[in-house]
Amino acid sequence: MRKPLLALTFTLAASAAFAQSPKDAVEARQGFFDLLGAQMAVLAPMAQGKMDFDAAKAQTAANNIAALAKVDISPLFVEGTSVDDMMETHAKSEIWSNMDLFMEKADALHQAAAEMPDAAGSLETLQPAVGKLGGTCKGCHDEFRSK
């Protein structure tokens, strides 16, 4: 699964870098976050005790998240692609008026995601790592994502 995920990730990043329209940028951005969400959908239920811990599945999802964290997401956020621009997105226009804070939050996500592979070996290490990663997601969503 890792090779197809990496190929898709690089395809998304390349398509964002060469996006011909705001719509293309939004679609690439949403694809990136869908990939992250799919991996969290594996890890979060384990960390919450809603699903039995499976070390192999946890490791795969953690590795995928770490790989995604290496993608520079800044090309996915071109001006004119907020919910205020009538785009089909949840991105608030505050992203562009406070890009420094937005990128700080993105860096926090990337750092927490990079720690995931080492944390996936046991439930005891996975739980706080998923909590930290989820906290970075929430911190950005609270500030920069519309409901």
Side-chain angles (χ1 to χ4, degrees), residues 30-46:
Q30 289 170 341
F32 174 81
F33 287 109
D34 285 347
L35 288 172
L36 273 178
Q39 304 315 303
M40 283 298 283
V42 172
L43 296 173
M46 285 185 210

Side-chain angles (χ1 to χ4, degrees), residues 13-30 33 72-85 87 89 91-97 99 102-103:
S15 67
F18 300 107
Q20 297 297 311
S21 72
K23 183 177 183 248
D24 292 338
V26 169
E27 287 175 1
R29 179 169 74 218
Q30 289 170 341
F33 287 109
D72 176 7
I73 64 168
S74 60
L76 303 177
F77 290 90
V78 296
E79 287 196 48
T81 62
S82 77
V83 69
D84 294 337
D85 298 308
M87 300 297 297
T89 180
K92 290 182 177 179
S93 60
E94 285 84 348
I95 291 170
W96 294 272
S97 63
M99 186 58 78
F102 178 74
M103 292 312 295

Side-chain angles (χ1 to χ4, degrees), residues 1-13 15 27-43 60-69 71 73 76 109 133 137:
M1 169 143 185
R2 186 170 182 183
K3 288 181 183 178
L5 176 67
L6 284 175
L8 181 57
T9 300
F10 292 121
T11 301
L12 284 171
S15 67
E27 287 175 1
R29 179 169 74 218
Q30 289 170 341
F32 174 81
F33 287 109
D34 285 347
L35 288 172
L36 273 178
Q39 304 315 303
M40 283 298 283
V42 172
L43 296 173
T60 298
N63 291 345
N64 289 342
I65 286 174
L68 286 165
V71 174
I73 64 168
L76 303 177
L109 167 74
L133 182 61
C137 296

